[in-house]
Amino acid sequence: MKRKMRVLASICALTLALTALTACGSSSTTKENTPSDTNNTNNNNNTNVSTEAAKDTITALLPPVSPAYQENFPQMEKDFNALYPNLTLKIEPASWEDMTQKLDTQVNAGSPPDIAFLGSSGISKYVEQGMALDITDAATQEMIADFDQAPLEYMKNGSGLYGFPAYMEVHALGGNKEFLEKAGIDYKKIQQEGWTFDQFREDIKKGVVSEGGKTSRYGFVFATAGVTSKDYLSILVKNAGMPAAFDKDLKFAYTSKNYLEVLKDIRVMIDDGSMPKELSSVDAGKRWNMFLTGQTMITGKGLAVFENSANKNNEKIKANDGSAVKGSIPVEYIVLPVPTFAGQKAQASAVVDGYVAFRGKKEPTAEHKANVVKAAYFLASGKVAATTNNDLFAAHITKSGKKEAESMTVNRNPDNVAAVEAMLKTASPARPDIPTDLGAKAIKLEDEVIVPKLQALIAGEITPEAMYEAVKTAAIQTFGEDGVVKD
């Protein structure tokens, strides 16, 4: 594996003084008897453990993947130890806001956790740094066969497999059913057939409520601040003929004329009053509060779990127990697809996040590597996966998870289930063919140029044309004249 300890510019300022997790566990020579996995009551389909095995600790850095996910950490650790008495799973919780900072600090110190939860699109960065652990030779055939093939492909880079997927969902939009119906929007048709940007723009105008020059409800609000700063543009451009940062010829795609069209469309929705002028300050929390309090008809990005979150808030309102979001109203959440741009076909933004394996400065032993794989598989399959995905309202992607979920109940709107299924059929495919160096360069360009320019565009400080030229110039400097799309 190519080892480069290059620190990306976007994380240079991070302090290395933060306490890092113990890297890659620790082994001792203590032996103890362990039961065969054929008696595994958790249905995680793990391979047999030898009767004599050394004690080992596997560390994991995990954010709040689902609303109740982190509440289950003690039980996860207990269940894993019951399955493997010689192994200890030590979980460190992190918020979504500080997850990347914690992980990068530990990676840069050469002492990352054994497992970290992250988006599949970020794998190339750590492969390029030489810190992601290829588990191809340690993952058993039984483990591999448990997963649906499509999401598993997202955890690959080149010929290597770097972890197991937790779920495969699509980034969608979410609508308030009452407001959609009052605006005369046929959301059921849109759920199945999609909509163009021109149609979308006219529909969100219908959702705006203004009086005396003051807007009390917008047609559309998308979180663009904080951890969501990359989401807005990256989701939209997929539906503009750019499903990945590189085309099939490995040319950087965001120099396409369609990229400029998306930038223009982003700005026009603010200029015509369909979105707030203060959009650049809307983070994920504010976006969701605006939706629950009736300040917007449509919100983004939306995942299936938002329906569950809305339902739970509705229950709190009904119970009048004071725990509901302040000022919130009952909301029936409707899943909606992202509109298409520039006459392109729908290519839903697939989100595959999962449990990625890491290595420290030293190559881990074969035994420890196998233990890391057991822990990653434990988290991504069986009871843990079924519980997490049901909490997320996400589809199950393992046979073992589907089996466990049979005894669990989920109250989902069938129209939303059908809408997600329709979008998954158009989901952009995995791109393990993108070389790690190109992937790392694209992430660097996004962090240093695209995100700050997008913030300036949304704030009205620069024009779409100015942002496009800045991205194009930086792309040519990074990938060369022949390494970018010219159309």
Side-chain angles (χ1 to χ4, degrees):
M1 179 184 298
K2 187 176 183 181
R3 296 187 56 82
K4 294 185 178 179
M5 296 305 297
R6 180 170 53 206
V7 180
L8 298 179
S10 59
I11 56 176
C12 283
L14 296 179
T15 174
L16 299 183
L18 294 175
T19 302
L21 291 174
T22 302
C24 297
S26 59
S27 298
S28 75
T29 57
T30 304
K31 305 282 185 176
E32 63 179 40
N33 292 331
T34 56
S36 167
D37 287 345
T38 55
N39 296 321
N40 174 18
T41 57
N42 290 310
N43 292 322
N44 267 331
N45 295 334
N46 290 284
T47 53
N48 290 343
V49 182
S50 63
T51 57
E52 294 284 332
K55 287 185 178 293
D56 197 5
T57 296
I58 300 95
T59 58
L61 181 66
L62 307 177
V65 176
S66 76
Y69 183 72
Q70 291 187 330
E71 298 172 12
N72 297 328
F73 284 177
Q75 190 62 48
M76 291 179 191
E77 293 175 335
K78 182 179 178 181
D79 289 348
F80 182 73
N81 184 248
L83 183 61
Y84 299 105
N86 65 305
L87 303 181
T88 298
L89 177 60
K90 183 179 179 183
I91 301 175
E92 179 184 353
S95 68
W96 283 117
E97 286 71 22
D98 65 8
M99 178 68 193
T100 300
Q101 178 175 323
K102 278 190 173 183
L103 178 59
D104 284 340
T105 297
Q106 295 171 27
V107 165
N108 294 332
S111 56
D114 292 306
I115 298 167
F117 190 92
L118 69 144
S120 56
S121 61
I123 291 176
S124 63
K125 167 183 169 181
Y126 299 106
V127 173
E128 175 70 3
Q129 292 180 349
M131 299 303 280
L133 180 65
D134 185 355
I135 63 171
T136 304
D137 59 347
T140 68
Q141 287 302 312
E142 290 79 8
M143 293 176 182
I144 298 298
D146 193 28
F147 290 91
D148 291 349
Q149 188 62 33
L152 190 64
E153 287 297 309
Y154 277 83
M155 305 306 288
K156 296 179 179 179
N157 189 276
S159 61
L161 175 66
Y162 292 92
F164 294 124
Y167 49 72
M168 181 175 183
E169 277 294 326
V170 288
H171 285 137
L173 306 180
N176 179 311
K177 180 182 178 182
E178 179 186 352
F179 296 164
L180 291 169
E181 291 178 340
K182 284 183 177 179
I185 298 171
D186 188 352
Y187 69 85
K188 290 186 180 182
K189 181 178 180 181
I190 293 168
Q191 284 181 322
Q192 293 302 310
E193 299 179 10
W195 45 4
T196 64
F197 174 73
D198 289 339
Q199 179 188 352
F200 177 75
R201 184 186 177 191
E202 291 306 312
D203 282 345
I204 61 176
K205 286 180 182 178
K206 301 173 186 176
V208 177
V209 176
S210 295
E211 185 175 349
K214 184 177 181 180
T215 300
S216 59
R217 183 197 306 155
Y218 292 95
F220 181 39
V221 171
F222 201 107
T224 63
V227 295
T228 62
S229 61
K230 300 180 181 181
D231 296 340
Y232 191 26
L233 184 54
S234 65
I235 291 169
L236 298 186
V237 297
K238 286 180 171 57
N239 268 3
M242 293 164 281
F246 298 90
D247 67 9
K248 291 296 184 180
D249 296 322
L250 298 179
K251 293 183 182 294
F252 188 70
Y254 300 158
T255 52
S256 166
K257 64 180 186 301
N258 288 351
Y259 194 80
L260 175 58
E261 289 305 307
V262 174
L263 298 181
K264 290 178 179 178
D265 291 338
I266 285 175
R267 188 61 235 174
V268 76
M269 289 186 286
I270 299 173
D271 293 337
D272 68 14
S274 297
M275 302 185 82
K277 294 189 184 329
E278 305 79 17
L279 188 66
S280 61
S281 65
V282 177
D283 60 16
K286 185 175 181 180
R287 169 275 318 270
W288 187 236
N289 282 358
M290 289 181 71
F291 183 74
L292 292 182
T293 55
Q295 295 179 66
T296 183
M297 178 176 69
I298 297 175
T299 190
K301 65 181 178 182
L303 292 168
V305 68
F306 287 12
E307 180 185 348
N308 193 18
S309 297
N311 291 345
K312 289 181 178 179
N313 194 69
N314 291 341
E315 293 170 2
K316 293 175 181 178
I317 294 173
K318 187 176 181 180
N320 195 28
D321 60 7
S323 61
V325 172
K326 185 178 180 180
S328 59
I329 60 176
V331 173
E332 188 167 350
Y333 185 89
I334 298 297
V335 173
L336 297 167
V338 175
T340 57
F341 298 81
Q344 299 296 308
K345 67 178 183 179
Q347 293 196 75
S349 174
V351 51
V352 180
D353 300 338
Y355 302 94
V356 177
F358 285 81
R359 49 168 295 163
K361 293 179 179 179
K362 295 182 180 179
E363 186 73 23
T365 65
E367 292 78 10
H368 181 67
K369 186 175 182 180
N371 293 336
V372 170
V373 171
K374 290 172 185 174
Y377 178 67
F378 169 82
L379 294 168
S381 65
K383 181 181 177 181
V384 175
T387 302
T388 303
N389 286 0
N390 273 3
D391 198 25
L392 285 169
F393 278 24
H396 301 287
I397 60 171
T398 59
K399 296 181 181 69
S400 59
K402 292 171 186 175
K403 183 176 180 181
E404 286 286 334
E406 289 174 357
S407 60
M408 302 177 183
T409 58
V410 180
N411 181 26
R412 294 184 67 184
N413 182 327
D415 289 334
N416 289 344
V417 175
V420 172
E421 290 175 349
M423 284 185 280
L424 281 171
K425 292 177 182 177
T426 70
S428 52
R431 290 293 306 277
D433 60 302
I434 297 176
T436 58
D437 61 332
L438 289 184
K441 288 178 181 178
I443 292 174
K444 187 172 186 289
L445 192 151
E446 180 181 48
D447 290 339
E448 296 181 358
V449 181
I450 293 177
V451 170
K453 293 297 182 183
L454 177 62
Q455 292 299 307
L457 172 66
I458 293 172
E461 297 168 358
I462 63 172
T463 64
E465 290 80 6
M467 176 174 172
Y468 176 70
E469 288 303 321
V471 173
K472 188 175 180 180
T473 298
I476 292 173
Q477 290 175 346
T478 302
F479 303 107
E481 287 279 355
D482 296 330
V484 302
V485 168
K486 295 180 180 179
D487 57 6

